[in-house]
């Protein structure tokens, strides 16, 4: 197996994904495991190294055919020094020199990138954004990540912190965000925000009110479906389904999420003027209710002055966009 | 005079400015006249040609030393075909082939650009934005224009309509904009918007209320200063001065303008991550109350997660930014 491949690593607060990616952007071998970040930096680095070594051994890949390792994590990052400055979902990880730590242990070139940026590169090179430049991607998960591809390259800006579009202010003096701002897009339109807003509203009224939620003995909240107790915690998907089914609270929260996403898309239109905006991340698994909602509000919010409203499409790489985009940092996908 | 020069033309709804600009971005000769756009396209083209010919003759410039003509106008434009698709301030000018019309009559290469983009290029090459990449400029005038310089070039996007940041939505379902959207930045933070909001509010209450306004026999509105009748119509500068002096209505309108400009700057920060945002256009002549206001609200609105808040500075080219930037389209300023 001598065709060049790359190692992609997507290091999130919850999951650590590792994969060997080929020139076509296809995953040859992969490993998914929990990050367990509270064990500290060295333990996670050891997991990454073990995972990469196991993948290489298992797939019988010649080390000489590995172009390098691409790693994406939540930001902000110091790209010049290869450090994680601060990662909200990796507690205690402040100013950690992750690029050099991996380079020394893996004996391979390592590229570090923001996870939203890597996902955008993945969709641009091997997914729903192929052939679109500029390309803007929003990843709707715990927060709202983003990436912008311009002239074939990731937009970094002066401080290496461009395309943090989840912190676009969509409601002046709106809901407080841990980032220190108020009214950030991700307070309304991330998977976590949608779930939290339903739960918060429901606690403030009759438990059997607009949305039927039950609690188990540990106090976790579940949506009750058709009189039965559901066996999974409330997800953004449940809120979307509730909205489609006509539940008033779900509808209000879901519509607001779609409205603010549409407003963000208008602002992205007037900033970057892309032909397409790709929606990815966990909440994009909702599919049609997300696309329908964002497109409906976009038509209502966008100007009529010029026919340059971007198309809104779902990620085609799904949860693997960051993984494949990370590999694309060190390997020119075809 | 054989050093290369360029002709810059800034064609606005009110003023037609023409200049010869040298390699240092300095204006060698200039002509300012009213556009009088309602006379139609051919009459304005004839004015432009006469003005350019007069400038060239008056400055004794060898035609062989003229690198070309750069022209900026309000958009949207068809840059590939060199047409004005539609210009809100040039009534009836729809789909006019201005680039070819000038090229045929002037026998010089002609470049066409959006006026906000040209102003940004001017500040980047010869003004307050020198050495800053990315650079974002907002021009606060009749509306709010904008331009973004990335990797040394004007950002155009897929539809050639990027950096229309005056139509960023800052208030969801806010004031209606002629563009068809609601809550656009320029409805709150342009020179015209600031004046209009004071006049509208004042008409709804006692004429001698919070702001002292008088009307002349033709019905034009003037601010009364220290008991005297002012001899100029209300300008954004008057509103800013009223705000500084403690007039409650002026203060509310001016503070809102600065607040929404600051919110736009936060959103620009998270989109392009520039080190600097330059404020230009007529309203930037207000100076300190504008800078102080935007900086104050920016500190309050911006995140604390990362030290990447852009510096806010005033244009150094003032009303000539578009003129000099237009020349820079065809001449590499030093």
């Amino acid at each position: 197996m001598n065709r060049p491949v790359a190692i992609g690593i997507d290091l999130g607060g919850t999951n650590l994904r590792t994969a060997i990616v080929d020139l076509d952007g296809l995953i040859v071998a992969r490993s998914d495991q929990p990050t367990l970040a509270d064990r500290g930096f060295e333990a996670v680095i050891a997991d990454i190294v073990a995972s990469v070594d196991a993948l290489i051994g298992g797939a019988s890949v010649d080390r000489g055919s590995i172009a390098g390792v691409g790693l994406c994590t939540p930001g902000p990052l110091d790209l010049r020094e290869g450090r994680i400055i601060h990662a909200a979902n990796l507690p205690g990880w402040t100013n950690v020199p992750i690029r050099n730590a991996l380079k020394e242990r893996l004996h391979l070139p390592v590229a570090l990138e923001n996870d939203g940026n890597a996902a955008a590169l993945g969709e641009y090179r091997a997914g729903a954004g192929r052939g679109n430049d500029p390309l803007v991607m929003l990843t709707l998960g715990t927060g709202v990540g983003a990436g912008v591809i311009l002239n074939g390259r990731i937009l970094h800006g002066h401080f290496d912190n461009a395309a943090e579009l989840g912190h676009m202010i969509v409601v002046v003096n709106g809901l407080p965000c841990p980032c220190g701002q108020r009214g950030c897009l991700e307070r309304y339109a991330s998977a976590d925000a949608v779930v939290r807003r339903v739960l918060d509203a429901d606690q403030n009224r009759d438990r059997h009110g607009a949305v039927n939620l039950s609690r188990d003995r540990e106090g976790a909240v579940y949506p009750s479906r058709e009189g039965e107790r559901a066996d999974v915690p409330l997800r953004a998907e449940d809120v979307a389904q509730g909205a489609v089914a006509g539940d008033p609270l779900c509808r209000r929260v879901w519509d607001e999420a779609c409205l603010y996403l549409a407003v963000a898309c208008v602002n992205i239109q007037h900033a970057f003027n892309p032909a397409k905006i790709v929606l990815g991340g966990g909440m994009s698994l909702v599919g049609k209710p997300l696309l329908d909602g964002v497109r409906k509000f976009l038509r209502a919010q966008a100007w009529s002055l010029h026919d340059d409203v971007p198309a809104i499409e779902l990620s085609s790489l799904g949860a693997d966009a960051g993984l494949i985009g990370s590999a694309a940092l060190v390997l020119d996908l075809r």
Side-chain angles (χ1 to χ4, degrees), chain A:
Chain A
M1 186 167 176
N2 288 314
R3 286 177 57 209
V5 295
I7 308 291
I9 304 170
D10 184 349
L11 172 61
T14 310
N15 296 307
L16 165 61
R17 301 173 211 265
T18 318
I20 299 176
V21 178
D22 73 9
L23 272 174
D24 296 315
L26 298 175
I27 290 175
V28 176
R30 68 182 300 151
S31 155
D32 289 7
Q33 60 196 94
T35 304
L36 308 176
D38 46 11
R39 292 171 306 149
F41 175 65
E42 285 299 335
V44 174
I45 289 289
D47 279 1
I48 294 176
V49 172
S51 168
V52 170
D53 283 344
L55 279 180
I56 294 173
S60 307
V61 168
D62 175 9
R63 276 198 170 251
S65 67
I66 302 174
V69 176
L71 165 75
C72 72
T73 78
L77 309 174
D78 179 339
L79 294 182
R80 258 153 275 200
E81 298 295 323
R83 288 167 180 271
I84 298 175
I85 296 174
H86 172 80
N89 299 324
L90 299 168
W93 289 42
T94 299
N95 220 17
V96 291
I98 193 162
R99 188 175 66 201
N100 280 347
L102 279 179
K103 199 169 149 188
E104 281 166 17
R105 288 166 179 81
L106 291 170
H107 308 290
L108 285 166
V110 177
L112 175 66
E113 189 51 83
N114 169 283
D115 52 3
N117 291 351
L121 184 64
E123 293 290 339
Y124 172 73
R125 297 282 283 277
R130 217 184 280 209
N132 286 273
D133 193 331
L135 178 72
V136 179
M137 178 169 189
L138 299 175
T139 60
L140 315 174
T142 313
V144 174
V148 174
I149 308 297
L150 260 173
N151 299 321
R153 301 166 63 103
I154 293 169
L155 174 67
H156 284 122
H158 179 77
F159 301 99
D160 284 344
N161 217 27
E164 280 287 357
L165 302 173
H167 296 281
M168 183 194 299
I169 294 174
V170 292
V171 182
V172 176
N173 297 323
L175 294 174
C177 183
C179 80
Q181 295 179 182
R182 299 188 77 100
C184 294
L185 174 64
E186 74 170 35
R187 289 298 99 193
Y188 302 87
S190 65
D192 275 29
V194 162
V195 168
R196 193 179 331 104
R197 297 191 77 202
V198 167
L199 297 182
D200 285 354
D202 199 67
Q203 283 171 343
N204 293 334
R205 59 161 109 179
D206 177 36
R207 204 165 70 83
H208 301 286
V211 70
N212 287 323
L213 298 173
S214 309
R215 283 179 200 281
D216 66 12
R217 280 171 298 186
E218 282 76 38
V221 178
Y222 301 118
S224 311
R225 293 187 194 150
E226 297 171 16
E228 288 183 306
R229 171 161 293 186
D231 57 356
V232 289
L234 189 68
R235 301 163 305 169
E237 203 170 335
D238 302 316
V239 178
Q241 283 173 2
V244 170
D247 175 278
L249 174 58
C250 289
R251 181 153 208 148
R252 179 169 67 74
V253 168
W254 184 253
D255 273 2
E256 276 195 27
C258 292
L259 167 64
Y260 290 123
L261 280 171
V263 167
C265 289
V266 169
N267 292 350
I268 289 165
Q269 169 191 352
H270 297 319
F272 299 104
N273 221 217
K276 191 183 280 189
I277 298 174
V278 174
L279 303 181
M283 197 165 94
S284 70
L285 301 178
V286 164
K288 189 170 153 53
L290 177 68
L291 269 190
D292 287 353
V294 175
R295 286 173 176 167
K296 179 185 79 176
F297 285 110
L298 181 57
R299 274 193 300 275
Q301 294 289 326
W303 71 7
S304 50
L305 202 59
H306 191 42
D307 187 19
D308 64 344
V309 179
I312 309 296
E313 295 196 10
L314 295 177
S315 153
S316 66
L317 303 180
D320 293 335
L323 206 50
I324 293 168
S326 293
L329 295 170
V330 291
L331 184 65
D332 268 337
L333 306 188
R334 289 188 294 217

